[in-house]
Amino acid sequence: MSTQYGNDQREQPVGASVPKNVGVVVSVRGSVVDVRFDQSLPPIHSVLHAGAEGRIVIEVMAQLDAHRVRGIALTPTQGLARGMPVEDTRGTLKAPVGKQIISRMFDVFGRAIDRLPEPLDVQWRSVHRAPPPLSERSTKSEVFETGIKVIDVLVPLERGGKAGLFGGAGVGKTVLLTEMIHNMIGHHEGVSIFCGIGERCREGQELYHDMKAAGVLPNMVMVFGQMNEPPGSRFRVGHVALTMAEYFRDDEHRDVLLLVDNIFRFIQAGMEVSGLMGQMPSRLGYQPTMGTELSGLEERIANTATGAITSIQAVYVPADDFTDPAAVHTFSHISASIVLSRKRASEGLFPAIDPLQSSSKMATPGIVGERHYRLAQEIRRTFAQYTELKDIIAMLGLEQLSPEDRNVVGRARRLERFLTQPFFTTEQFTGLKGRLVPLKDALDGCERILRDEFKDCPESALYMIGTIDEVQANAKPSPDVTHAARHPE
């Protein structure tokens, strides 16, 4: 049978002929296939081929007894029937690695899905790899600049760390991810790998064309396991992307930006596989092995002496419930959590990042510096005070506040608007030119707002700008600020 999916035979001495290990299908229940082997039992994670030209690919998940294995099909099982022959490929699922995969788009089997010829001169590596040992990991803590003001100031990301974008449906996770790809490739010497787990085909197509139009495809690899594919395929696509990322880190000694959209779909695919395998569900119907499966993926994302894999992962939060086991387990792996707020999105404050719920382990004086830490704390304090005052403003109006509280409200509202930013990836929708703001300029702007330098400027002058110097172009300071400009929504 064909081994067209990149799962070649296990390495054998030259000239040695390996006898085929062929089994027989004994039962098919949806994506679950039981196969009997009389010669030798394939190990777990082995790939089996069945059907015409080996088109049906099955991964062994359990050994039932001395002769039977149970596997999950990574492809649709139409046409598979009892008694059909199944061939053991004597290998695991493999991913293509090498310089030739850059600027290409692949599926879970390493096949090109961008309508271009298959890449030549690539190596195939198993997707089941151990994380780097602790002795090889780098212990340095460095800040990873994104050029997005609110992230760099309040939730600094770690080079070689893992950041999570938490939010419900439609609050801007994918837009924020694509903007980070744009900023990373334009201003960092690295490779970006985008991994779409259980995403819509529309999003994959749009991302590909947007990246091509922005001219950033030459430093990017895309891997997709779409929403309509079987759960086994969606469950493995993250491992394929990680195998590619590890090649660039370990062999090419380059920094890698790994973007995962959406890690919840990985957990969801694992839940489907677990249910199909007949495992007893855990809390809220999740698989009992969720913690182990997520750790197996997340622990491979690490920085070593040769390079770093910095990961930014979108995490769908079911029904905006942050106590959901999927969100809780993901929180435990990440160094920065960026929480997106539906309320801020409805107010037009994009990126809709909630400054009080978001946090980063990098935001300490020893890493970001004393000035940055002090400013970030002061901004959070201002936002917290404004949140407390919102109820009073809603009931009694702004006029009932003390002059000091009114100043806090003005500062907070100006900071909120200054921390919005036009994105390069949304230029065609908003008509606003994208901005990339260095950390120094973002800190200067926040400091000047906190010192009340723009007290007499209309709030709208600070909305959707890059650096604070653009305020003068938007509006000339005027002492008689209108009541509407000062009055909170």
Side-chain angles (χ1 to χ4, degrees):
M1 288 185 186
S2 161
T3 55
Q4 57 174 323
Y5 296 108
N7 305 303
D8 8 359
Q9 303 278 325
R10 290 188 194 123
E11 286 182 27
Q12 299 291 336
V14 179
S17 62
V18 185
K20 284 188 174 182
N21 187 22
V22 179
V24 175
V25 175
V26 290
S27 76
V28 183
R29 297 185 307 283
S31 289
V32 181
V33 184
D34 288 1
V35 186
R36 181 181 178 86
F37 285 91
D38 291 323
Q39 290 169 283
S40 67
L41 204 63
I44 287 175
H45 294 153
S46 293
V47 168
L48 316 176
H49 284 166
E53 297 179 9
R55 289 199 175 278
I56 297 168
V57 183
I58 302 158
E59 185 176 21
V60 176
M61 301 297 275
Q63 296 176 334
L64 301 178
D65 54 37
H67 293 289
R68 288 185 309 142
V69 294
R70 178 165 290 170
I72 289 284
L74 306 186
T75 53
T77 52
Q78 282 95 334
L80 197 62
R82 281 188 294 180
M84 284 178 100
V86 178
E87 187 185 326
D88 174 15
T89 62
R90 299 181 185 273
T92 59
L93 187 68
K94 290 184 169 65
V97 297
K99 291 181 179 176
Q100 304 302 318
I101 67 169
I102 296 179
S103 83
R104 303 299 303 274
M105 195 188 223
F106 298 96
D107 66 5
V108 71
F109 302 110
R111 296 176 300 189
I113 51 171
D114 50 8
R115 297 188 179 177
L116 294 171
E118 292 289 335
L120 303 169
D121 193 27
V122 293
Q123 301 172 39
W124 291 87
R125 288 189 184 170
S126 171
V127 302
H128 302 283
R129 298 164 68 84
L134 284 172
S135 57
E136 288 178 20
R137 298 191 180 212
S138 169
T139 53
K140 271 195 306 183
S141 287
E142 289 177 51
V143 172
F144 177 86
E145 264 193 58
T146 62
I148 298 168
K149 289 181 286 194
V150 64
I151 292 177
D152 289 345
V153 172
L154 294 175
V155 202
L157 305 188
E158 180 184 6
R159 178 182 172 270
K162 296 183 273 274
L165 294 177
F166 292 84
V171 290
K173 296 185 298 295
T174 304
V175 171
L176 201 50
L177 269 187
T178 50
E179 183 69 7
M180 285 182 185
I181 299 170
H182 182 281
N183 293 359
M184 159 77 183
I185 298 173
H187 300 86
H188 295 74
E189 291 297 317
V191 181
S192 284
I193 295 179
F194 184 92
C195 176
I197 305 177
E199 286 303 289
R200 303 161 188 87
C201 59
R202 167 185 63 77
E203 291 174 340
Q205 187 197 25
E206 284 175 7
L207 182 75
Y208 181 78
H209 288 297
D210 289 349
M211 296 298 109
K212 200 170 184 179
V216 296
L217 212 53
N219 281 313
M220 193 166 179
V221 185
M222 294 187 194
V223 189
F224 280 95
Q226 286 165 211
M227 205 174 250
N228 62 320
E229 292 181 23
S233 171
R234 285 180 271 127
F235 188 55
R236 285 288 172 240
V237 74
H239 298 91
V240 171
L242 256 170
T243 305
M244 294 174 175
E246 286 167 341
Y247 164 80
F248 288 111
R249 179 192 67 194
D250 301 335
D251 294 39
E252 300 262 328
H253 299 173
R254 293 173 77 173
D255 282 359
V256 183
L257 179 64
L258 175 67
L259 300 121
V260 183
D261 190 8
N262 184 306
I263 205 75
F264 173 78
R265 306 276 177 222
F266 167 76
I267 294 170
Q268 201 174 37
M271 179 164 61
E272 290 177 51
V273 168
S274 171
L276 289 166
M277 293 296 292
Q279 292 177 346
M280 185 69 75
S282 176
R283 189 172 152 231
L284 295 185
Y286 285 104
Q287 64 272 39
T289 52
M290 175 167 71
T292 312
E293 289 165 0
L294 189 62
S295 302
L297 190 75
E298 296 280 8
E299 288 304 306
R300 288 170 64 181
I301 302 168
N303 50 341
T304 63
T306 56
I309 300 176
T310 303
S311 172
I312 299 166
Q313 307 167 9
V315 187
Y316 167 69
V317 180
D320 292 346
D321 175 17
F322 285 89
T323 63
D324 188 271
V328 170
H329 274 76
T330 312
F331 266 122
S332 65
H333 286 282
I334 56 181
S335 54
S337 50
I338 299 166
V339 177
L340 296 168
S341 150
R342 195 173 299 283
K343 189 171 183 302
R344 292 176 76 81
S346 67
E347 289 172 10
L349 299 170
F350 290 105
I353 293 168
D354 187 324
L356 297 176
Q357 276 193 287
S358 304
S359 63
S360 168
K361 291 174 185 168
M362 301 295 284
T364 61
I367 296 171
V368 296
E370 195 64 50
R371 177 184 175 237
H372 184 164
Y373 176 75
R374 182 177 46 77
L375 272 172
Q377 291 298 92
E378 201 174 333
I379 292 164
R380 283 180 193 279
R381 201 177 306 117
T382 307
F383 281 138
Q385 287 173 297
Y386 177 41
T387 304
E388 286 172 14
L389 293 168
K390 273 182 179 174
D391 289 342
I392 300 169
I393 297 166
M395 288 188 291
L396 305 174
L398 189 68
E399 289 74 17
Q400 300 303 315
L401 296 180
S402 67
E404 194 180 325
D405 284 346
R406 247 181 286 183
N407 282 343
V408 168
V409 171
R411 261 178 242 136
R413 287 177 59 80
R414 281 170 176 78
L415 279 169
E416 270 184 343
R417 278 143 188 78
F418 176 63
L419 291 175
T420 61
Q421 190 167 339
F423 283 176
F424 292 96
T425 47
T426 57
E427 278 179 12
Q428 57 189 17
F429 307 114
T430 60
L432 298 168
K433 195 174 181 312
R435 304 279 199 288
L436 187 136
V437 184
L439 175 62
K440 181 185 172 297
D441 293 344
L443 289 172
D444 286 348
C446 292
E447 191 171 40
R448 288 173 69 184
I449 291 168
L450 288 167
R451 285 202 309 249
D452 287 339
E453 277 189 38
F454 299 94
K455 190 178 177 182
D456 299 327
C457 268
E459 290 165 6
S460 56
L462 291 125
Y463 180 67
M464 285 292 171
I465 60 170
T467 61
I468 199 77
D469 299 330
E470 292 178 35
V471 173
Q472 310 304 331
N474 284 12
K476 288 179 182 170
S478 158
D480 48 57
V481 180
T482 62
H483 174 74
R486 272 182 175 271
H487 201 287
E489 285 139 7

